[in-house]
Amino acid sequence: MRTTLLILSLMYSFVLTAQDKAKVTFNPSTKMSYDGVTKFERKNFINVHTTYEHIPQQFRKELYEELGVSDGRSFGLGTPSNKLSGTNHKHPGTFSEKALKAEMKKIASHSTPRKFEDEIIVTSHPGSYFPVGEFVLEKKKEQLVGIPAIEEYFQQRLRESTYRKGYIEILNEPFVHDRDMHTSVDTIIDMFKYTAKAIHQKYPQAKVGGPGHAWPAYELNDFQIWKERMGKFIEVAGNDMDFLSVHLYSTYYDDKASYRAGANAEAILDMIEAKSLQVTGTIKPLVISEYGSGFKKGTNIVQAYYKERDWYVIHGVNSKMMQFMNRPHRIVKSVPFICGRADWYDNEHPYPWVLFHKKNNEYQKTELIKFYQFWKDVKGEYVFIQSDHADVQTVGFRDGNKVFICLDNLEDKTIEVDLAGTGFKHQKAELRRIYSEGNGPILSQQSISDISKITLSSDETAILILELNDDTDEFSSTIKLTEQYHPETIQKIGQQEKEYQFDVNPDELVFVDLHLGIARPIAEDFLPIVKLNGQKISVSRNQMGRTQDFKELTFENALEPKIKRPQQQNFFGVHKIALPKALLKKKNVLSLSFEKGEGYISTVKLVQGHQSEMNQ
């Protein structure tokens, strides 16, 4: 086993001799406004996939007070108990309202206010409720069966007020279990719709959402997976949801990995936002209730604990969280799949995603704690920062005279970053890094004298921490970002040009970026021919993130249908293109086509940045 894992470690720590170069410009005196959101909310991003009560007591102060972590997610909602149903939580049974109320009374007598209860996502295992025809609630004068029984059950459970203060994600990952639960996606969607209605009727302030969609391979079978699952969910239940939720994982095997970070994750989130706008008239808030790195069951990589696997988890989280941080106006909660402990895990090997392993009957920290140590103290207002390289992600914050310039390398090669900062002088600079050389995550921080160049190793995330001179203006201007989705989605195009029209406000315009969602066979060139107002524009060939030469296309734990899913290998991702300001007008025509073959344009989004002085 160790030989295989060593090969994997070497593969992902190998540094190419030829370095890429990137230029990153930033100005800590220019604030960024994302639809009015200017502040980095740590509680929306720096979270642990558990609750305070399930963290070993000796580590609580360090995790929550010193490292500034918030909760989290809990499976405490729903799931009728064995005692009530007479079966187990994987098979619905008949139970009485009297027994349910007795249990609720018992829970209430022992319950205390929960720390972070306004932030916790509460969810439940889907197996308890399906097939819905077998879910029965006996009341005094009637017997509720199916969805009405489920509605009543959730209304009763939510009498425990601590569970309705945060985010109620009715079920966890139900779409990957439709066949083994002997139900259909349509029934699951109806369950969400009507249960949300019932919860809102009794508890109007509750935030209810879903569907916690896992394995979102939306492009499969010419987008049928999207149309039958998340697309239909938004069409049928979207208006009754307070938020929409999805899970985004990179999946590791012993000798390869399927990546979602970068272009693919952008395409998935843009599709959800565009469909939400199309159906509900608004872009519903997003909850990323799980994300990070997964490990394929049955492979050696899920067995005995070793530090490099912790690095895969940290990299899988950092690479996606940097993307989420650039959507602060859309994402209200994102929870990396880093758990506290897993005493329930019945296996000779430790659970791969825990902060604390039990050894000699005592809890010890794993290397995953370094994720939270890396992001310690990062806070402030968003500042202007821009990268000219698709594989170097950026985000910047300013808190008083302290500035945090965050950089992330999405590629498995070294990238040299030229930093060009304007509008400030600094008196101190430190560089905090987290990376791997094949034997677990390395976390370091040291003073640097020259901030003009930073070298990012393979998959590294770094934070340049600047202490500015006292005379530096706090904020002299603001760049306001606005986004515009074209109403047409999932459009098939070929050699014939497809036109999209959009407006641009030229006043105080700083930049306009075009975000194209593209699905195209991997064997063919993924880039379309792009014309702006009749003029062909030059487009960089570098995609955001890894080359999509291997993608996981099956659903974990799901039984294969009678007709096997097509193993369709497509590039599916967002390609970001800076549009030349000289070619832009108030009314614009964008033309797209492929030189040969066909492909899909899943979404078209225009991002405009307009700058204004603070004293205006």
Side-chain angles (χ1 to χ4, degrees):
M1 178 186 74
R2 289 293 178 182
T3 301
T4 305
L5 298 178
L6 178 60
I7 292 171
L8 182 62
S9 298
L10 291 174
M11 184 177 74
Y12 290 107
S13 63
F14 179 69
V15 176
L16 299 182
T17 55
Q19 293 185 345
D20 272 7
K21 291 198 173 188
K23 183 177 181 180
V24 171
T25 56
F26 67 96
N27 187 337
S29 296
T30 298
K31 182 187 295 189
M32 297 298 295
S33 173
Y34 297 80
D35 197 22
V37 176
T38 63
K39 185 180 179 183
F40 172 56
E41 296 286 356
R42 285 183 61 90
K43 62 185 175 59
N44 292 3
F45 301 98
I46 313 299
N47 300 301
V48 61
H49 194 274
T50 188
T51 60
Y52 181 88
E53 294 75 18
H54 288 91
I55 295 293
Q57 190 169 359
Q58 65 268 36
F59 298 110
R60 290 176 185 173
K61 181 178 180 181
E62 176 185 2
L63 190 65
Y64 292 102
E65 296 180 28
E66 297 174 12
L67 298 180
V69 178
S70 297
D71 288 343
R73 193 164 180 247
S74 168
F75 280 78
L77 176 67
T79 311
S81 69
N82 298 354
K83 182 178 178 181
L84 288 176
S85 67
T87 58
N88 63 63
H89 78 274
K90 293 184 178 180
H91 302 284
T94 301
F95 58 98
S96 67
E97 184 183 40
K98 182 178 179 181
L100 176 58
K101 287 183 176 180
E103 181 166 284
M104 289 300 303
K105 186 175 181 180
K106 184 178 179 180
I107 291 171
S109 67
H110 291 87
S111 65
T112 57
R114 304 175 72 184
K115 201 171 179 68
F116 305 106
E117 60 187 14
D118 292 342
E119 291 302 317
I120 294 171
I121 304 166
V122 292
T123 190
S124 59
H125 295 290
S128 306
Y129 309 100
F130 300 94
V132 295
E134 296 177 19
F135 190 86
V136 180
L137 177 63
E138 291 183 341
K139 303 186 73 173
K140 284 184 180 179
K141 296 183 180 180
E142 62 179 329
Q143 187 182 71
L144 301 178
V145 178
I147 289 178
I150 296 171
E151 294 171 8
E152 180 73 14
Y153 178 82
F154 274 94
Q155 285 183 326
Q156 294 281 4
R157 283 293 283 140
L158 286 168
R159 286 172 56 206
E160 191 176 352
S161 62
T162 186
Y163 284 126
R164 62 174 187 263
K165 291 184 178 180
Y167 301 91
I168 302 168
E169 187 181 43
I170 298 174
L171 298 178
N172 176 58
E173 299 187 348
F175 292 162
V176 300
H177 298 290
D178 55 326
R179 287 178 296 281
D180 56 319
M181 293 188 306
H182 306 289
T183 189
S184 68
V185 170
D186 288 349
T187 301
I188 293 169
I189 293 172
D190 284 343
M191 183 269 197
F192 267 90
K193 176 182 177 68
Y194 294 112
T195 302
K197 281 182 177 290
I199 293 172
H200 281 135
Q201 184 176 6
K202 190 164 186 177
Y203 309 108
Q205 302 306 314
K207 298 188 287 287
V208 185
H213 192 189
W215 301 85
Y218 292 153
E219 75 278 17
L220 278 187
N221 200 16
D222 295 328
F223 287 93
Q224 282 303 114
I225 293 295
W226 163 262
K227 293 173 183 177
E228 295 170 359
R229 294 172 185 260
M230 181 61 96
K232 181 174 282 189
F233 181 89
I234 297 171
E235 289 174 357
V236 175
N239 281 303
D240 296 294
M241 297 295 112
D242 296 301
F243 62 86
L244 298 168
S245 62
V246 67
H247 295 173
L248 295 171
Y249 282 94
S250 299
T251 305
Y252 284 82
Y253 294 71
D254 290 332
D255 59 349
K256 56 184 177 289
S258 173
Y259 293 94
R260 285 212 184 278
N264 186 243
E266 290 289 300
I268 290 167
L269 297 179
D270 276 6
M271 281 198 71
I272 295 171
E273 290 183 8
K275 186 69 173 180
S276 171
L277 182 62
Q278 189 182 75
V279 172
T280 71
T282 61
I283 297 178
K284 296 280 184 176
L286 295 177
V287 168
I288 318 296
S289 47
E290 287 184 29
Y291 74 96
S293 292
F295 306 101
K296 189 66 175 180
K297 290 183 179 179
T299 59
N300 291 331
I301 201 168
V302 299
Q303 295 183 7
Y305 172 73
Y306 69 107
K307 293 180 179 180
E308 187 66 2
R309 187 176 61 199
D310 283 355
W311 164 245
Y312 301 150
V313 173
I314 290 174
H315 164 59
V317 171
N318 271 339
S319 57
K320 299 177 188 68
M321 190 173 77
M322 288 278 286
Q323 294 182 254
F324 303 157
M325 286 176 169
N326 282 292
R327 295 177 186 250
H329 56 318
R330 304 293 185 214
I331 295 177
V332 293
K333 192 74 175 177
S334 64
V335 182
F337 197 70
I338 298 177
C339 307
R341 63 191 192 197
D343 298 340
W344 52 268
Y345 190 58
D346 185 18
N347 194 293
E348 62 178 309
H349 304 296
Y351 196 57
W353 299 275
V354 291
L355 283 169
F356 311 106
H357 280 168
K358 212 167 194 179
K359 191 173 182 180
N360 299 326
N361 211 32
E362 289 186 355
Y363 286 106
Q364 297 182 2
K365 288 183 284 190
T366 68
E367 297 289 296
L368 293 181
I369 195 70
K370 291 181 178 177
F371 166 75
Y372 298 104
Q373 292 169 341
F374 177 75
W375 290 102
K376 179 183 179 182
D377 297 330
V378 175
K379 58 183 177 179
E381 304 280 334
Y382 280 84
V383 299
F384 171 76
I385 187 167
Q386 196 170 58
S387 169
D388 71 351
H389 196 299
D391 294 315
V392 176
Q393 297 192 92
T394 61
V395 66
F397 310 107
R398 179 170 178 176
D399 180 44
N401 269 19
K402 186 168 279 190
V403 173
F404 303 90
I405 301 301
C406 309
L407 309 168
D408 179 68
N409 183 2
L410 284 168
E411 268 288 7
D412 58 348
K413 57 187 174 185
T414 298
I415 299 180
E416 187 179 280
V417 178
D418 289 338
L419 278 174
T422 58
F424 74 98
K425 292 181 180 179
H426 69 279
Q427 52 188 306
K428 184 179 179 181
E430 293 186 322
L431 185 64
R432 186 184 298 171
R433 306 174 60 202
I434 190 163
Y435 60 99
S436 175
E437 293 179 348
N439 190 29
I442 299 171
L443 176 63
S444 68
Q445 183 167 331
Q446 61 183 18
S447 297
I448 61 172
S449 56
D450 182 7
I451 69 168
S452 64
K453 290 187 185 297
I454 292 176
T455 300
L456 297 176
S457 62
S458 169
D459 298 328
E460 177 178 347
T461 310
I463 304 174
L464 177 63
I465 305 170
L466 300 174
E467 188 175 318
L468 306 183
N469 289 357
D470 292 339
D471 59 353
T472 303
D473 288 340
E474 185 160 354
F475 291 111
S476 57
S477 64
T478 299
I479 293 179
K480 298 179 181 179
L481 290 184
T482 57
E483 297 174 334
Q484 177 186 348
Y485 280 102
H486 195 277
E488 293 185 84
T489 59
I490 315 180
Q491 296 293 302
K492 196 170 190 177
I493 65 171
Q495 287 81 42
Q496 185 174 353
E497 291 182 352
K498 167 70 178 175
E499 291 188 349
Y500 298 83
Q501 297 183 358
F502 56 87
D503 297 339
V504 167
N505 176 9
D507 297 334
E508 300 175 326
L509 183 66
V510 180
F511 60 84
V512 177
D513 290 337
L514 175 67
H515 294 193
L516 290 181
I518 303 167
R520 181 99 156 128
I522 284 177
E524 300 185 34
D525 187 354
F526 74 94
L527 274 182
I529 298 170
V530 181
K531 292 181 181 179
L532 176 61
N533 297 322
Q535 297 293 313
K536 184 177 179 180
I537 63 175
S538 176
V539 179
S540 168
R541 308 201 65 77
N542 186 26
Q543 61 185 264
M544 184 181 178
R546 295 287 206 278
T547 301
Q548 296 179 26
D549 54 357
F550 170 76
K551 295 172 74 177
E552 172 58 59
L553 298 177
T554 58
F555 292 163
E556 189 76 24
N557 297 328
L559 302 175
E560 284 293 337
K562 292 181 180 179
I563 301 175
K564 192 173 178 64
R565 288 192 181 90
Q567 296 300 289
Q568 173 186 336
Q569 291 288 314
N570 274 0
F571 169 86
F572 178 48
V574 161
H575 200 66
K576 300 181 181 181
I577 304 166
L579 297 182
K581 288 175 62 177
L583 294 181
L584 288 165
K585 306 174 182 178
K586 287 187 177 181
K587 301 286 185 181
N588 298 272
V589 177
L590 178 74
S591 304
L592 303 175
S593 62
F594 287 111
E595 187 174 349
K596 61 179 181 178
E598 294 180 323
Y600 285 95
I601 300 298
S602 56
T603 53
V604 177
K605 180 168 74 173
L606 205 68
V607 181
Q608 300 183 50
H610 294 86
Q611 189 167 9
S612 59
E613 300 302 314
M614 295 295 284
N615 57 5
Q616 290 184 351

